[in-house]
Amino acid sequence: MTARRTPNGFEVDDSGRRVVVDPITRIESHRRVEVNLDADNVSRNAVSTGTMWRGLEVILKGRDPRDAWAFTQRICGVCTGTPALTSVRAVEHALAIEIPENANTIRNIMQLAQDFQDHLIHFYHLHALDPCVPWSIEDGVDA
Amino acid sequence: MTGCETFYDVIRRQGISRRSFVKFCTLTAAAMGLGEAHAGTIARALETKPRIPVLWLHGLECTCCSESFIRSAHPSAKDVVLSMISLDYTDTPMAAAGHRAEAILEEIRHEYRGNYIAAIEGNPPLDEDGMHCITGGRPFVDKLEEVCADAKAVISRGSSASWGWVQAARPNPTRATPVDTVVTDQAVIEVPGCPPIAEVMTGVITYIVTFDPLPTLDAQGRPQMFYSQRVHDKCYRRPHFDAGQFAESFDDAGARKGYCLYKVGCRGPTTDNACSTVRWNDGVSSPIQSGHGCVGCSEEGFRDQGPFDERLAHVGAFGVEANADRIGFAAAGAVTARIAVHAEASAVERMVHKPNGVAEDKNLASLDGGPR
Ligand code: SF4
């Protein structure tokens, strides 16, 4: 068996039956998953890797903090509102800005509306296909 | 694969009536801004032309283009995806993953050489030999070049594909590069926006399926039918702009009265997009309608032109270094003159573009010497 360390500290090896699924679809961004199955078809090692980097953290440096939301929300276009609201809160926290109660209520409503649509999208457009058509990825085998 | 089935065959097989089909054609003609007479042309095309395969690739992106697309109302994404085209590959709402997904790409490329549409969401990073975006075990840029080389048409979906966008904002750590810089031997149809309006994306596809010659493009490679007006031209707050009535902050009396958002940063006067007329989520609302100015998400280089909530200090498109007070004052006094300035600014702006569609310093900041 040959083993290799990934830059983020995981071990990948070629023991047993090695299954690679790349690209993982129905997610935002790009991802690769590797699994090693033993003789009893039990997974003994699994590594999941994000295979895209845009450097939003680097891009945010030195910008006007009022604009941060418009950058962080592009981390993911499926749940856009959540990183946007979170970055607004982070900026307010850093600058010790207190917001009125009504503003907080409006934000909570926005967040809940976001959650609501997100659940529908995730279930019907993204995850539902896994239990419905599991064979669509079943032969993602590599050697 | 459904081979040579037409759109009409497919919807009839799905049990959709002739009557609904005709209604669909009429709505689609209307959505594309064509007269009712064109409904017949659309119907004939959809009855006779084979469904066209579409390969939708994802590079450095956030998937918001796909998210917007699935909300299209006229035509609905369902009609487009399930019937009008054959969306054979997309990283997002596709059942297959891994090798199966990659095999589809190969199959379509070979079986439909020169007869499929490549729709690109996101862009390739060129630094480190493209290592910042790997899909299927190899750099995205390789996949992009291969798939586009054999396509009938390439559509750059969204501002990432069209302009480079958030990942290309200063200092562009991965050297994210617009699609048309990499794909140079094909006409690339730019459909910018972050995300583009759903109906604009489905409209472009419908147009290609129906009329075959690609839609007329403007100097920046964008379909004229959707990008020939500024957000400001048809904005419902425009009477307030012309009357010099501006919100000075997001919580003042002016904001509550629905005054023009120009002084709190609205980029509507320098943004070519259909938001004011088509709007979003089946016409429910638009950013300006919900109380925030337009941030100009479909304009090249917008990411580096913040702060977004501050008025444009220098508005190149107005022809002078006017500020909001002066513009409002002038507007109130001489509406006609303003319209003339506007039209002239448009013409001047078009002239600064190279005819081959490569935009050259379009943006306000660059026109007035500001940072890019
Ligand atoms: S500046 Fe913005 S809010 Fe004001 S009229 Fe123009 S587009 Fe509408």
Side-chain angles (χ1 to χ4, degrees):
Chain A
M1 178 183 99
T2 51
R4 198 160 42 82
R5 239 182 197 301
T6 68
N8 36 12
F10 296 107
E11 289 255 314
V12 287
D13 61 51
D14 57 1
S15 64
R17 181 169 161 242
R18 179 163 166 258
V19 178
V20 179
V21 182
D22 180 8
I24 296 283
T25 51
R26 285 174 284 115
I27 54 162
E28 139 51 19
S29 184
H30 301 281
R31 186 157 286 275
R32 169 190 180 94
V33 168
E34 296 194 32
V35 177
N36 297 87
L37 300 174
D38 67 12
D40 301 321
N41 238 12
V42 174
S43 70
R44 291 297 169 200
N45 187 30
V47 174
S48 166
T49 320
T51 56
M52 155 174 133
W53 183 76
R54 287 177 292 165
L56 291 180
E57 306 81 350
V58 181
I59 292 165
L60 270 170
K61 273 190 197 157
R63 285 188 190 263
D64 191 305
R66 288 171 297 176
D67 289 352
W69 63 272
F71 289 80
T72 40
Q73 64 165 245
R74 258 53 191 137
I75 285 170
C76 174
V78 182
C79 53
T80 319
T82 310
L85 283 173
T86 308
S87 83
V88 168
R89 288 198 176 114
V91 168
E92 285 162 355
H93 184 85
L95 300 175
I97 295 170
E98 288 212 8
I99 62 164
E101 195 43 46
N102 274 352
N104 197 42
T105 307
I106 291 170
R107 287 185 194 177
N108 287 342
I109 294 172
M110 286 166 70
Q111 182 60 48
L112 287 170
Q114 161 79 45
D115 286 358
F116 184 69
Q117 71 92 29
D118 216 26
H119 276 75
L120 292 176
I121 296 279
H122 269 275
F123 185 76
Y124 290 102
H125 281 278
L126 306 175
H127 298 171
L129 290 171
D130 282 328
C132 293
V133 280
W135 54 86
S136 58
I137 53 166
E138 130 278 345
D139 68 348
V141 182
D142 200 291
Chain B
M1 275 308 305
T2 38
C4 289
E5 264 190 321
T6 66
F7 167 81
Y8 187 64
D9 295 336
V10 176
I11 62 163
R12 288 314 297 258
R13 188 156 48 73
Q14 289 169 353
I16 294 167
S17 67
R18 171 86 198 165
R19 193 186 159 81
S20 307
F21 170 69
V22 171
K23 191 173 157 210
F24 169 84
C25 295
T26 314
L27 278 175
T28 304
M32 291 199 292
L34 306 168
E36 257 193 47
H38 283 90
T41 320
I42 294 178
R44 261 190 310 283
L46 296 179
E47 278 166 350
T48 51
K49 291 188 184 162
R51 284 204 308 162
I52 196 164
V54 174
L55 302 180
W56 184 324
L57 302 188
H58 295 238
L60 291 184
E61 44 86 38
C62 78
T63 312
C64 75
C65 301
S66 301
E67 283 285 323
S68 171
F69 180 80
I70 59 177
R71 287 161 176 76
S72 176
H74 305 292
S76 79
K78 171 175 78 58
D79 287 327
V80 174
V81 171
L82 298 183
S83 326
M84 194 182 286
I85 58 168
S86 166
L87 183 58
D88 291 297
Y89 183 99
T90 159
D91 289 21
T92 313
M94 167 168 75
H99 292 233
R100 283 218 171 175
E102 297 296 287
I104 298 171
L105 274 187
E106 281 304 300
E107 183 193 318
I108 299 295
R109 265 186 60 218
H110 289 109
E111 276 183 31
Y112 291 86
R113 191 176 293 272
N115 274 317
Y116 62 86
I117 297 176
I120 316 298
E121 177 172 348
N123 55 24
L126 300 186
D127 261 2
E128 312 277 352
D129 298 326
M131 293 301 276
H132 293 302
C133 186
I134 300 285
T135 150
R138 63 202 181 114
F140 168 70
V141 63
D142 294 355
K143 193 164 158 181
L144 173 74
E145 281 173 345
E146 270 173 29
V147 169
C148 290
D150 296 328
K152 172 197 180 88
V154 179
I155 307 179
S156 263
R157 305 217 120 163
S159 295
S160 289
S162 299
W163 313 137
W165 215 222
V166 58
Q167 53 273 11
R170 263 193 315 264
N172 192 354
T174 61
R175 196 148 65 90
T177 306
V179 168
D180 64 1
T181 310
V182 176
V183 178
T184 46
D185 49 0
Q186 284 267 33
V188 177
I189 305 169
E190 314 282 1
V191 187
C194 189
I197 303 172
E199 281 74 11
V200 171
M201 288 191 274
T202 49
V204 169
I205 288 199
T206 313
Y207 193 98
I208 296 175
V209 171
T210 313
F211 298 107
D212 217 354
L214 304 180
T216 319
L217 305 180
D218 67 10
Q220 292 184 67
R222 305 171 301 184
Q224 246 170 16
M225 59 206 229
F226 295 115
Y227 292 92
S228 57
Q229 49 170 270
R230 287 152 199 265
V231 170
H232 185 65
D233 294 343
K234 297 264 169 69
C235 175
Y236 79 107
R237 296 189 190 226
R238 181 62 186 268
H240 294 296
F241 178 94
D242 291 338
Q245 295 169 323
F246 297 100
E248 303 279 341
S249 71
F250 286 110
D251 55 357
D252 71 356
R256 275 192 283 277
K257 285 184 192 144
Y259 282 178
C260 169
L261 299 167
Y262 182 72
K263 286 193 180 180
V264 284
C266 183
R267 264 65 163 165
T270 48
T271 303
D272 302 325
N273 211 335
C275 299
S276 306
T277 42
V278 181
R279 296 189 284 180
W280 292 80
N281 294 322
D282 199 4
V284 169
S285 188
S286 76
I288 292 174
Q289 209 173 334
S290 59
H292 195 282
C294 162
V295 292
C297 77
S298 52
E299 292 297 308
E300 190 179 3
F302 130 80
R303 291 276 166 189
D304 286 329
Q305 288 162 4
F308 305 134
D309 292 342
E310 258 173 35
R311 80 166 78 142
L312 295 171
H314 304 283
V315 185
F318 285 105
V320 281
E321 283 198 350
N323 60 32
D325 298 308
R326 264 193 273 157
I327 289 169
F329 182 71
V335 178
T336 337
R338 282 229 356 82
I339 292 167
V341 168
H342 214 65
E344 201 173 271
S346 261
V348 170
E349 206 177 9
R350 305 267 172 243
M351 273 158 48
V352 301
H353 303 305
K354 289 187 201 153
N356 65 5
V358 180
E360 197 183 68
D361 287 351
K362 172 178 178 24
N363 286 285
L364 23 151
S366 45
L367 282 177
D368 65 33
R372 292 223 63 200

